Amino acid sequence: MAGATDLLVHWPIRPEAQDKTYLDLSAISELRPFRWTDVSLHIGALTTYWDILRDPQTRAEFPLLHEAARQVGAIQIQSRGTWAGNIANGSPAADGVPVLLAYDASVVLTSMAGSREIPLREYYTGYRNSVRRSDELITSIILPRRRYDFSVFHKVGARRAQAITKVGIAVTREAGARAANPWRVVASSVAATVRRCPAIEAFLASGALVRVPSDFFASIDADIRPIDDIRSTASYRRTVLARLLYHSLRGVSATVV
Amino acid sequence: MLRIEGLSKLCGAERYLDDEPLEGPLKGCLWGMTVRSPVSRGRIRDIVYGAGFNWSEFVVVTPDDIPGPNETYLIENDQPVLAPGYVRHMHEPVALIAHADRDLLRRALASIRVQVDPEPPVLDFRVPPRPEQIQRGTDNVIKQLRICKGDVEKVFATAPIIVEGEYETGAQEHVYIENNAMAAWIEDGPAGDVVVVRGSMQCPYYVLNAVKHALKRDETRVRIMQSPTGGGFGGKEDYPSTIALHAALLALKAQKPVKIVYDRSEDMAATTKRHPSLVRHKTAVDRNGRLLAQKIEVILDGGAYVTLSPVVLSRGIIHAAGPYSCDHVLIEGRAMLTNSVPYGAFRGFGAPQTIFAVERHMDRIAQKLGISPLEVRRVNLLKDGQTTSTQQTICGGTDRHALLERALGETDYARLLAQAEEFNREHPYLRRGVGIATVLHGAGFTGNGEVYLNSKVDVAGLPDGRLEVLAASTEMGQGTNTVFTRLAADAADYATDDVLVGMPDTFRVPNSGPTVASRTVMVVGKLIERAISDLAAQLGGGGSPLRGKALKDAIIAWHRVNGGGSLKARATYTPPPNVKFDDKKYIGDAYATFAWGVCVAHVEVDLRTAAVRVLHFTSLQDIGKVINPTLARGQVQGGTVQAIGWALSEELKFKDGGMANNSLTNYIIPTSDDVPPIRVLFHENPYEHGGGGAKGVGELPMDGPAPAILNAVAHATGCDPLAIPLTPERLMPLLEATP
Amino acid sequence: MNSNAAHKPVCAESDAITIAFTLNGKSHTAKVAPGERLLDTLRYGLALTGTKEGCGEGECGACTVLLDGLPANSCLVPAFQVRGRDVRTIESIPAERLGPLLESGATQCGACTPGVVMTAAWIRDHRSELQSFTTRALMAGNLCRCTGYDGIIDGLERWIASESGGRS
Ligand SMILES: Cc1cc2nc3c(=O)[nH]c(=O)nc-3n(C[C@H](O)[C@H](O)[C@H](O)COP(=O)(O)OP(=O)(O)OC[C@H]3O[C@@H](n4cnc5c(N)ncnc54)[C@H](O)[C@@H]3O)c2cc1C
Ligand code: FES
Ligand code: FES
């Protein structure tokens, strides 16, 4: 456990959670800081949202980290919640995960047997399931330093703070033609995990003209399958995703008019 | 004057029930918990206590342990204290357990299985019940009420224009931040043991009556004390009687003190909520928008027991026609029995539901006629001398037309409107709109309610010359103690430091009636003034009543002479002159007076997400004399924000008849970032029969915001929302269907 | 031992964890159960009942304390995690300083109030670093059902003005 902001929710009335065994990381000070190399940003296992929010350099290079961190819970959660905990918790409604995915982050998993680095996009295998073995910890998150000429994060919750995401997007476009497709489109709360949307990315790169939000529906439907739950409805999620994409990219992408 | 207990609250020193040290009467206190029904309706086959627990260590209470009738004393006494073999709603209390170790108790509780043979529940109050769903009379109707003025059908037959509409409002959870909490213990008394209950409550005498009834004791052997109460809003009006009885039953069985403190999810799932409503309007108007006939049908979901539904319905129908003049009005209301948690009191008590409907309907009439929402109100707002639906002649000198014009002027309404329209032409996906609502709220109990209540207040002169106000009216955040102190000090010409307000304790204070219906300052405050003037007259010995230092000296002198005696004066309610109400026919003066208000909402709708944001909100209120501006403003601002939540985000989700989103994470009340500053304006017109000239302020703020906001959304987007909460999920399909 | 401790979470003696931490400026040791929340330690173990429980799910902020100087929900802090750290509760704030919040009507029923005051105290002490946030956004982790928030926001602004430059 790190900030325990997921783990301790309704703790007294969850005896099943109390009966498990936890390893507390909070006192390992080495895991707290984040650090820069020439090519990447390393977020520690105990780095909190507030740690990032206070840092001007991350804001300049990775503005979506700030956007997301600002919209997580409120200060009481930002001060304690960690980026690694957000990944490990595995909620499809997580707000840290989509922006990390949009920046092509990878995750360092460490066990007594050693460490391995895997791309975050390959981390989840299903609803609250991942490739992480039970003897592994997330010890850091690595973000490659690249130039982006566009990035946006939208969180749609039931209120402006202290809200669980009903539908969210994180979109980046890498500057320069290094990658085959410069677009990264990530959607949250519309599938079993937060996920990249390859069909939408391909659609954006295809040059097809987008004149109304509903032009996104075909690629949205290829990527995700939202559900009805106590927080929202499938049809709302699908409609909002299309509208957010359209209005965010209008004028940004030459094809969205 | 600053809030009396304010600093103690700010620095965390105020002791709510769960903060009390476990010493004195609470020494050795056990925790109590409630075994609840897992289904909405059915016959209990068995209660199976889980393996792995030494149940002899636990105190267990079942209906057999109830000394008197297994009934919660209220209007009809149909709600059992513990379900006697048959459950009528999900989470209904079935049995009680207690133990000193709270975690162990929680695990033990989770191990208990209540086995029920389910029967078909009624989960939708809007559709007529099927035969196998009938549980009351022949039609599940809890209460039916009717107001009839003139002859609507005759008007409809020849009316030039008829506008119809159907409006719905959802349930609302109170979300007082202090959850329900109650402790009970047994003390020795002169006439045998005394059951003492202390806790979070609005109405100590309701609790007293309930405990007396089910424990078969008289008031010398039951003592109810209020502890500081962290919010109520109606949610601690009747339900605390149930919790008090539960704590008392456990304490009697254990012969030890027992404390029941609900956690948030239990409090949300199991306690009362605001009544959901369906209101149908059929209105005949002329081309200028004048109301010719109003036919209104009001249906409330009453939940599984009668509780307070008949009176909520009553207030609901009386407010259903709005603050308008119309010669022909027919209002028919009914409250339906369903298998939901019993719906109960909530700030406004039925009025916000029907006012939502009429105020949306007025805008839709204007729309249909192509006139402005202001015009339709200007044409119809009551003038002094005109009558309401119950044929009560309105007088009192408040000019509702002037109120409306003032609100328009203060908000620069015309400019807001023009700016919104300009903004909407430019912006790709944001739409702004302005909406208005004109409202009324009857102050105090409905009809002859205050006469039946027969409220009493004592004021005692203490040996040191100070005055103590003894009333059962509770402080729960709304400022009772501060205002009582002010009124008493003014009446006696005392410094406020020389006035005490006693904590409600049924061994010490007389029944000043429940702390509900915005009646506390107006009705009880007036009694305080009268008791003081009686005391002053008594001591003045026939001369002019004593005030200030003379009064203080006389009190001290009295005690010197009558050492150890108690010097008290009592005032008992007398109705204002010429107030008459026929509660069979619903004709006459439904309330001694009304408070009036105008709300202006300025909203922004995000077409990408269908989220509605209130940008500005102004509330103009005529509440008689404003006794304490900070407290009164706080009531209006707090009520407005509660109403904004009800209008936009507070939605109860049900699963099998039980609340599925019973957490603060999933039941969405506004945060500070969701609401704008609420601008409050007062119109002062002192009411001669109210304490300090005041009418009620507690509930009026709840009435206007929802319709004003929906009217603004309609203006912003051109769509026609008819139901609240207007969540984005509900608005999006309307937007999609609007060209 | 204070009497509230009778209602503290219990555990086997061998499982209890002894922690040393700073509480309201003084060093302190406490014995806590592994499953004990800081909120329980404060309210029951130490009888510091100013910190309230409104939800137990991190949503309402009534349980807010300052942990190493930052607002945290004590219902979501395992008690053993405060080992070696600095905890400040509402009991550390003298009533005399709260006048501006009283005048503005920042408290009504008072159940949310201690948490509100803790967050407000943090905002006031760090105003210059928090320029990029609105007060309403910073206060959003403290739900209040009574005031509609105006009394709180106004009170905080008065508080900042009345003690500008001053620190607690
Ligand atoms: C009121 C409230 C509001 C919230 N709002 C948001 C929000 O807006 N957006 C959002 O995304 N989340 C939100 N959350 C959820 C939570 O705060 C975040 O997911 C947070 O990032 C979790 O981090 P943590 O350190 O507190 O995790 P913990 O609770 O400590 O752990 C979470 C899970 O991850 C595991 N874990 C933690 N660290 C590691 C590690 N290094 N290696 C392996 N496993 C690990 C734990 O065992 C546990 O299963 C909210 C929570 C609350 C209570
Ligand atoms: S009790 Fe901790 S946030 Fe509500
Ligand atoms: S003052 Fe009552 S909840 Fe804030």
Side-chain angles (χ1 to χ4, degrees), chain B residues 9 16 18-19 174 650 665 670 672, chain C residues 44 52 57 108-109 136 145 149:
Chain B
K9 284 176 171 172
Y16 302 82
D18 193 36
D19 302 336
H174 305 82
E650 295 185 31
T665 307
S672 51
Chain C
Y44 301 120
K52 308 296 179 201
E57 50 180 306
Q108 288 188 20
C109 83
R136 282 188 179 259
R145 193 60 156 167
Y149 301 106

mmCIF file with all atom_site columns, all heavy atoms in Angstrom, chain B residues 9 16 18-19 174 650 665 670 672, chain C residues 44 52 57 108-109 136 145 149:
data_model
loop_
_atom_site.group_PDB
_atom_site.id
_atom_site.type_symbol
_atom_site.label_atom_id
_atom_site.label_alt_id
_atom_site.label_comp_id
_atom_site.label_asym_id
_atom_site.label_entity_id
_atom_site.label_seq_id
_atom_site.pdbx_PDB_ins_code
_atom_site.Cartn_x
_atom_site.Cartn_y
_atom_site.Cartn_z
_atom_site.occupancy
_atom_site.B_iso_or_equiv
_atom_site.pdbx_formal_charge
_atom_site.auth_seq_id
_atom_site.auth_comp_id
_atom_site.auth_asym_id
_atom_site.auth_atom_id
_atom_site.pdbx_PDB_model_num
ATOM 1   N N   . LYS B 1 9   ? -17.861 25.283 17.834 1.00 0.00 ? 9   LYS B N   1
ATOM 2   C CA  . LYS B 1 9   ? -17.915 24.421 16.647 1.00 0.00 ? 9   LYS B CA  1
ATOM 3   C C   . LYS B 1 9   ? -16.666 24.587 15.791 1.00 0.00 ? 9   LYS B C   1
ATOM 4   O O   . LYS B 1 9   ? -16.108 23.617 15.286 1.00 0.00 ? 9   LYS B O   1
ATOM 5   C CB  . LYS B 1 9   ? -19.160 24.754 15.818 1.00 0.00 ? 9   LYS B CB  1
ATOM 6   C CG  . LYS B 1 9   ? -20.438 24.186 16.425 1.00 0.00 ? 9   LYS B CG  1
ATOM 7   C CD  . LYS B 1 9   ? -21.684 24.604 15.669 1.00 0.00 ? 9   LYS B CD  1
ATOM 8   C CE  . LYS B 1 9   ? -22.895 23.817 16.196 1.00 0.00 ? 9   LYS B CE  1
ATOM 9   N NZ  . LYS B 1 9   ? -24.161 24.316 15.633 1.00 0.00 ? 9   LYS B NZ  1
ATOM 10  N N   . TYR B 1 16  ? -20.631 16.299 19.859 1.00 0.00 ? 16  TYR B N   1
ATOM 11  C CA  . TYR B 1 16  ? -21.773 15.564 19.315 1.00 0.00 ? 16  TYR B CA  1
ATOM 12  C C   . TYR B 1 16  ? -21.818 14.219 20.042 1.00 0.00 ? 16  TYR B C   1
ATOM 13  O O   . TYR B 1 16  ? -20.902 13.868 20.783 1.00 0.00 ? 16  TYR B O   1
ATOM 14  C CB  . TYR B 1 16  ? -21.605 15.408 17.797 1.00 0.00 ? 16  TYR B CB  1
ATOM 15  C CG  . TYR B 1 16  ? -21.485 16.750 17.118 1.00 0.00 ? 16  TYR B CG  1
ATOM 16  C CD1 . TYR B 1 16  ? -20.270 17.433 17.077 1.00 0.00 ? 16  TYR B CD1 1
ATOM 17  C CD2 . TYR B 1 16  ? -22.607 17.378 16.589 1.00 0.00 ? 16  TYR B CD2 1
ATOM 18  C CE1 . TYR B 1 16  ? -20.167 18.687 16.511 1.00 0.00 ? 16  TYR B CE1 1
ATOM 19  C CE2 . TYR B 1 16  ? -22.518 18.641 16.010 1.00 0.00 ? 16  TYR B CE2 1
ATOM 20  C CZ  . TYR B 1 16  ? -21.288 19.290 15.974 1.00 0.00 ? 16  TYR B CZ  1
ATOM 21  O OH  . TYR B 1 16  ? -21.200 20.551 15.410 1.00 0.00 ? 16  TYR B OH  1
ATOM 22  N N   . ASP B 1 18  ? -21.282 11.090 19.422 1.00 0.00 ? 18  ASP B N   1
ATOM 23  C CA  . ASP B 1 18  ? -20.182 10.128 19.369 1.00 0.00 ? 18  ASP B CA  1
ATOM 24  C C   . ASP B 1 18  ? -18.879 10.711 19.902 1.00 0.00 ? 18  ASP B C   1
ATOM 25  O O   . ASP B 1 18  ? -17.853 10.031 19.963 1.00 0.00 ? 18  ASP B O   1
ATOM 26  C CB  . ASP B 1 18  ? -19.993 9.616  17.931 1.00 0.00 ? 18  ASP B CB  1
ATOM 27  C CG  . ASP B 1 18  ? -19.089 8.402  17.878 1.00 0.00 ? 18  ASP B CG  1
ATOM 28  O OD1 . ASP B 1 18  ? -19.153 7.575  18.818 1.00 0.00 ? 18  ASP B OD1 1
ATOM 29  O OD2 . ASP B 1 18  ? -18.294 8.279  16.920 1.00 0.00 ? 18  ASP B OD2 1
ATOM 30  N N   . ASP B 1 19  ? -18.898 11.989 20.288 1.00 0.00 ? 19  ASP B N   1
ATOM 31  C CA  . ASP B 1 19  ? -17.700 12.602 20.865 1.00 0.00 ? 19  ASP B CA  1
ATOM 32  C C   . ASP B 1 19  ? -17.698 12.526 22.389 1.00 0.00 ? 19  ASP B C   1
ATOM 33  O O   . ASP B 1 19  ? -16.707 12.864 23.026 1.00 0.00 ? 19  ASP B O   1
ATOM 34  C CB  . ASP B 1 19  ? -17.623 14.090 20.470 1.00 0.00 ? 19  ASP B CB  1
ATOM 35  C CG  . ASP B 1 19  ? -17.615 14.293 18.964 1.00 0.00 ? 19  ASP B CG  1
ATOM 36  O OD1 . ASP B 1 19  ? -17.216 13.369 18.238 1.00 0.00 ? 19  ASP B OD1 1
ATOM 37  O OD2 . ASP B 1 19  ? -18.021 15.387 18.526 1.00 0.00 ? 19  ASP B OD2 1
ATOM 38  N N   . HIS B 1 174 ? -30.938 13.611 2.682  1.00 0.00 ? 174 HIS B N   1
ATOM 39  C CA  . HIS B 1 174 ? -30.601 14.841 3.410  1.00 0.00 ? 174 HIS B CA  1
ATOM 40  C C   . HIS B 1 174 ? -29.101 15.125 3.471  1.00 0.00 ? 174 HIS B C   1
ATOM 41  O O   . HIS B 1 174 ? -28.675 16.257 3.387  1.00 0.00 ? 174 HIS B O   1
ATOM 42  C CB  . HIS B 1 174 ? -31.135 14.756 4.842  1.00 0.00 ? 174 HIS B CB  1
ATOM 43  C CG  . HIS B 1 174 ? -32.597 14.467 4.911  1.00 0.00 ? 174 HIS B CG  1
ATOM 44  N ND1 . HIS B 1 174 ? -33.106 13.186 4.807  1.00 0.00 ? 174 HIS B ND1 1
ATOM 45  C CD2 . HIS B 1 174 ? -33.660 15.270 5.050  1.00 0.00 ? 174 HIS B CD2 1
ATOM 46  C CE1 . HIS B 1 174 ? -34.432 13.243 4.899  1.00 0.00 ? 174 HIS B CE1 1
ATOM 47  N NE2 . HIS B 1 174 ? -34.789 14.490 5.042  1.00 0.00 ? 174 HIS B NE2 1
ATOM 48  N N   . GLU B 1 650 ? -28.458 15.325 -7.608 1.00 0.00 ? 650 GLU B N   1
ATOM 49  C CA  . GLU B 1 650 ? -28.746 14.366 -6.538 1.00 0.00 ? 650 GLU B CA  1
ATOM 50  C C   . GLU B 1 650 ? -29.794 13.369 -6.999 1.00 0.00 ? 650 GLU B C   1
ATOM 51  O O   . GLU B 1 650 ? -30.987 13.626 -6.961 1.00 0.00 ? 650 GLU B O   1
ATOM 52  C CB  . GLU B 1 650 ? -29.194 15.115 -5.280 1.00 0.00 ? 650 GLU B CB  1
ATOM 53  C CG  . GLU B 1 650 ? -28.069 15.976 -4.725 1.00 0.00 ? 650 GLU B CG  1
ATOM 54  C CD  . GLU B 1 650 ? -28.430 16.648 -3.414 1.00 0.00 ? 650 GLU B CD  1
ATOM 55  O OE1 . GLU B 1 650 ? -29.218 16.077 -2.653 1.00 0.00 ? 650 GLU B OE1 1
ATOM 56  O OE2 . GLU B 1 650 ? -27.912 17.740 -3.167 1.00 0.00 ? 650 GLU B OE2 1
ATOM 57  N N   . THR B 1 665 ? -19.684 9.092  -2.384 1.00 0.00 ? 665 THR B N   1
ATOM 58  C CA  . THR B 1 665 ? -18.993 9.025  -3.670 1.00 0.00 ? 665 THR B CA  1
ATOM 59  C C   . THR B 1 665 ? -19.992 8.965  -4.819 1.00 0.00 ? 665 THR B C   1
ATOM 60  O O   . THR B 1 665 ? -19.763 9.532  -5.883 1.00 0.00 ? 665 THR B O   1
ATOM 61  C CB  . THR B 1 665 ? -18.102 7.764  -3.731 1.00 0.00 ? 665 THR B CB  1
ATOM 62  O OG1 . THR B 1 665 ? -17.258 7.757  -2.588 1.00 0.00 ? 665 THR B OG1 1
ATOM 63  C CG2 . THR B 1 665 ? -17.268 7.732  -4.986 1.00 0.00 ? 665 THR B CG2 1
ATOM 64  N N   . PRO B 1 670 ? -23.444 18.977 -4.174 1.00 0.00 ? 670 PRO B N   1
ATOM 65  C CA  . PRO B 1 670 ? -22.490 19.956 -4.706 1.00 0.00 ? 670 PRO B CA  1
ATOM 66  C C   . PRO B 1 670 ? -21.297 20.174 -3.764 1.00 0.00 ? 670 PRO B C   1
ATOM 67  O O   . PRO B 1 670 ? -21.456 20.181 -2.544 1.00 0.00 ? 670 PRO B O   1
ATOM 68  C CB  . PRO B 1 670 ? -23.313 21.244 -4.802 1.00 0.00 ? 670 PRO B CB  1
ATOM 69  C CG  . PRO B 1 670 ? -24.743 20.818 -4.749 1.00 0.00 ? 670 PRO B CG  1
ATOM 70  C CD  . PRO B 1 670 ? -24.776 19.574 -3.925 1.00 0.00 ? 670 PRO B CD  1
ATOM 71  N N   . SER B 1 672 ? -17.921 22.968 -3.059 1.00 0.00 ? 672 SER B N   1
ATOM 72  C CA  . SER B 1 672 ? -17.768 24.425 -3.175 1.00 0.00 ? 672 SER B CA  1
ATOM 73  C C   . SER B 1 672 ? -17.463 24.836 -4.611 1.00 0.00 ? 672 SER B C   1
ATOM 74  O O   . SER B 1 672 ? -17.774 25.956 -5.017 1.00 0.00 ? 672 SER B O   1
ATOM 75  C CB  . SER B 1 672 ? -16.646 24.911 -2.250 1.00 0.00 ? 672 SER B CB  1
ATOM 76  O OG  . SER B 1 672 ? -15.474 24.147 -2.456 1.00 0.00 ? 672 SER B OG  1
ATOM 77  N N   . TYR C 2 44  ? -10.797 8.037  19.388 1.00 0.00 ? 44  TYR C N   1
ATOM 78  C CA  . TYR C 2 44  ? -11.017 7.122  20.508 1.00 0.00 ? 44  TYR C CA  1
ATOM 79  C C   . TYR C 2 44  ? -9.750  6.938  21.340 1.00 0.00 ? 44  TYR C C   1
ATOM 80  O O   . TYR C 2 44  ? -9.783  7.085  22.555 1.00 0.00 ? 44  TYR C O   1
ATOM 81  C CB  . TYR C 2 44  ? -11.548 5.786  19.980 1.00 0.00 ? 44  TYR C CB  1
ATOM 82  C CG  . TYR C 2 44  ? -12.860 5.937  19.219 1.00 0.00 ? 44  TYR C CG  1
ATOM 83  C CD1 . TYR C 2 44  ? -12.962 5.547  17.881 1.00 0.00 ? 44  TYR C CD1 1
ATOM 84  C CD2 . TYR C 2 44  ? -13.970 6.512  19.836 1.00 0.00 ? 44  TYR C CD2 1
ATOM 85  C CE1 . TYR C 2 44  ? -14.156 5.704  17.187 1.00 0.00 ? 44  TYR C CE1 1
ATOM 86  C CE2 . TYR C 2 44  ? -15.160 6.679  19.140 1.00 0.00 ? 44  TYR C CE2 1
ATOM 87  C CZ  . TYR C 2 44  ? -15.254 6.272  17.815 1.00 0.00 ? 44  TYR C CZ  1
ATOM 88  O OH  . TYR C 2 44  ? -16.422 6.441  17.135 1.00 0.00 ? 44  TYR C OH  1
ATOM 89  N N   . LYS C 2 52  ? -13.852 14.862 12.938 1.00 0.00 ? 52  LYS C N   1
ATOM 90  C CA  . LYS C 2 52  ? -15.133 14.159 12.827 1.00 0.00 ? 52  LYS C CA  1
ATOM 91  C C   . LYS C 2 52  ? -15.090 13.093 11.742 1.00 0.00 ? 52  LYS C C   1
ATOM 92  O O   . LYS C 2 52  ? -14.320 13.186 10.795 1.00 0.00 ? 52  LYS C O   1
ATOM 93  C CB  . LYS C 2 52  ? -16.255 15.149 12.478 1.00 0.00 ? 52  LYS C CB  1
ATOM 94  C CG  . LYS C 2 52  ? -16.362 16.359 13.379 1.00 0.00 ? 52  LYS C CG  1
ATOM 95  C CD  . LYS C 2 52  ? -16.705 15.989 14.799 1.00 0.00 ? 52  LYS C CD  1
ATOM 96  C CE  . LYS C 2 52  ? -16.784 17.227 15.681 1.00 0.00 ? 52  LYS C CE  1
ATOM 97  N NZ  . LYS C 2 52  ? -16.630 16.901 17.093 1.00 0.00 ? 52  LYS C NZ  1
ATOM 98  N N   . GLU C 2 57  ? -15.093 7.409  3.676  1.00 0.00 ? 57  GLU C N   1
ATOM 99  C CA  . GLU C 2 57  ? -14.737 7.032  2.306  1.00 0.00 ? 57  GLU C CA  1
ATOM 100 C C   . GLU C 2 57  ? -13.949 8.137  1.600  1.00 0.00 ? 57  GLU C C   1
ATOM 101 O O   . GLU C 2 57  ? -13.858 8.154  0.377  1.00 0.00 ? 57  GLU C O   1
ATOM 102 C CB  . GLU C 2 57  ? -16.003 6.687  1.508  1.00 0.00 ? 57  GLU C CB  1
ATOM 103 C CG  . GLU C 2 57  ? -17.075 7.758  1.622  1.00 0.00 ? 57  GLU C CG  1
ATOM 104 C CD  . GLU C 2 57  ? -18.353 7.463  0.832  1.00 0.00 ? 57  GLU C CD  1
ATOM 105 O OE1 . GLU C 2 57  ? -18.244 7.208  -0.359 1.00 0.00 ? 57  GLU C OE1 1
ATOM 106 O OE2 . GLU C 2 57  ? -19.444 7.494  1.434  1.00 0.00 ? 57  GLU C OE2 1
ATOM 107 N N   . GLN C 2 108 ? -22.466 26.287 10.604 1.00 0.00 ? 108 GLN C N   1
ATOM 108 C CA  . GLN C 2 108 ? -23.872 26.221 11.023 1.00 0.00 ? 108 GLN C CA  1
ATOM 109 C C   . GLN C 2 108 ? -24.013 25.028 11.967 1.00 0.00 ? 108 GLN C C   1
ATOM 110 O O   . GLN C 2 108 ? -23.915 25.170 13.171 1.00 0.00 ? 108 GLN C O   1
ATOM 111 C CB  . GLN C 2 108 ? -24.811 26.140 9.821  1.00 0.00 ? 108 GLN C CB  1
ATOM 112 C CG  . GLN C 2 108 ? -24.889 27.473 9.056  1.00 0.00 ? 108 GLN C CG  1
ATOM 113 C CD  . GLN C 2 108 ? -25.960 27.490 7.985  1.00 0.00 ? 108 GLN C CD  1
ATOM 114 O OE1 . GLN C 2 108 ? -26.904 26.720 7.988  1.00 0.00 ? 108 GLN C OE1 1
ATOM 115 N NE2 . GLN C 2 108 ? -25.801 28.392 7.025  1.00 0.00 ? 108 GLN C NE2 1
ATOM 116 N N   . CYS C 2 109 ? -24.182 23.836 11.403 1.00 0.00 ? 109 CYS C N   1
ATOM 117 C CA  . CYS C 2 109 ? -24.342 22.691 12.311 1.00 0.00 ? 109 CYS C CA  1
ATOM 118 C C   . CYS C 2 109 ? -23.021 22.276 12.917 1.00 0.00 ? 109 CYS C C   1
ATOM 119 O O   . CYS C 2 109 ? -22.982 21.610 13.938 1.00 0.00 ? 109 CYS C O   1
ATOM 120 C CB  . CYS C 2 109 ? -24.999 21.519 11.593 1.00 0.00 ? 109 CYS C CB  1
ATOM 121 S SG  . CYS C 2 109 ? -23.849 20.523 10.633 1.00 0.00 ? 109 CYS C SG  1
ATOM 122 N N   . ARG C 2 136 ? -12.393 28.118 -4.123 1.00 0.00 ? 136 ARG C N   1
ATOM 123 C CA  . ARG C 2 136 ? -13.474 27.135 -4.222 1.00 0.00 ? 136 ARG C CA  1
ATOM 124 C C   . ARG C 2 136 ? -12.962 25.766 -4.655 1.00 0.00 ? 136 ARG C C   1
ATOM 125 O O   . ARG C 2 136 ? -13.470 24.746 -4.205 1.00 0.00 ? 136 ARG C O   1
ATOM 126 C CB  . ARG C 2 136 ? -14.568 27.629 -5.174 1.00 0.00 ? 136 ARG C CB  1
ATOM 127 C CG  . ARG C 2 136 ? -15.457 28.654 -4.502 1.00 0.00 ? 136 ARG C CG  1
ATOM 128 C CD  . ARG C 2 136 ? -16.663 29.043 -5.322 1.00 0.00 ? 136 ARG C CD  1
ATOM 129 N NE  . ARG C 2 136 ? -17.441 30.000 -4.565 1.00 0.00 ? 136 ARG C NE  1
ATOM 130 C CZ  . ARG C 2 136 ? -18.547 29.712 -3.870 1.00 0.00 ? 136 ARG C CZ  1
ATOM 131 N NH1 . ARG C 2 136 ? -19.045 28.501 -3.881 1.00 0.00 ? 136 ARG C NH1 1
ATOM 132 N NH2 . ARG C 2 136 ? -19.156 30.633 -3.160 1.00 0.00 ? 136 ARG C NH2 1
ATOM 133 N N   . ARG C 2 145 ? -23.131 20.763 4.064  1.00 0.00 ? 145 ARG C N   1
ATOM 134 C CA  . ARG C 2 145 ? -24.516 20.690 3.619  1.00 0.00 ? 145 ARG C CA  1
ATOM 135 C C   . ARG C 2 145 ? -25.333 21.867 4.143  1.00 0.00 ? 145 ARG C C   1
ATOM 136 O O   . ARG C 2 145 ? -26.487 22.018 3.801  1.00 0.00 ? 145 ARG C O   1
ATOM 137 C CB  . ARG C 2 145 ? -25.107 19.366 4.126  1.00 0.00 ? 145 ARG C CB  1
ATOM 138 C CG  . ARG C 2 145 ? -26.422 18.976 3.504  1.00 0.00 ? 145 ARG C CG  1
ATOM 139 C CD  . ARG C 2 145 ? -26.375 18.803 2.014  1.00 0.00 ? 145 ARG C CD  1
ATOM 140 N NE  . ARG C 2 145 ? -27.437 17.923 1.543  1.00 0.00 ? 145 ARG C NE  1
ATOM 141 C CZ  . ARG C 2 145 ? -27.789 17.796 0.273  1.00 0.00 ? 145 ARG C CZ  1
ATOM 142 N NH1 . ARG C 2 145 ? -27.153 18.487 -0.655 1.00 0.00 ? 145 ARG C NH1 1
ATOM 143 N NH2 . ARG C 2 145 ? -28.748 16.973 -0.083 1.00 0.00 ? 145 ARG C NH2 1
ATOM 144 N N   . TYR C 2 149 ? -21.582 27.107 1.246  1.00 0.00 ? 149 TYR C N   1
ATOM 145 C CA  . TYR C 2 149 ? -20.165 27.427 1.066  1.00 0.00 ? 149 TYR C CA  1
ATOM 146 C C   . TYR C 2 149 ? -19.822 28.919 1.119  1.00 0.00 ? 149 TYR C C   1
ATOM 147 O O   . TYR C 2 149 ? -18.676 29.273 1.357  1.00 0.00 ? 149 TYR C O   1
ATOM 148 C CB  . TYR C 2 149 ? -19.584 26.820 -0.236 1.00 0.00 ? 149 TYR C CB  1
ATOM 149 C CG  . TYR C 2 149 ? -19.722 25.318 -0.279 1.00 0.00 ? 149 TYR C CG  1
ATOM 150 C CD1 . TYR C 2 149 ? -20.658 24.697 -1.094 1.00 0.00 ? 149 TYR C CD1 1
ATOM 151 C CD2 . TYR C 2 149 ? -18.928 24.505 0.538  1.00 0.00 ? 149 TYR C CD2 1
ATOM 152 C CE1 . TYR C 2 149 ? -20.805 23.321 -1.115 1.00 0.00 ? 149 TYR C CE1 1
ATOM 153 C CE2 . TYR C 2 149 ? -19.060 23.128 0.520  1.00 0.00 ? 149 TYR C CE2 1
ATOM 154 C CZ  . TYR C 2 149 ? -20.005 22.535 -0.309 1.00 0.00 ? 149 TYR C CZ  1
ATOM 155 O OH  . TYR C 2 149 ? -20.147 21.176 -0.324 1.00 0.00 ? 149 TYR C OH  1
#
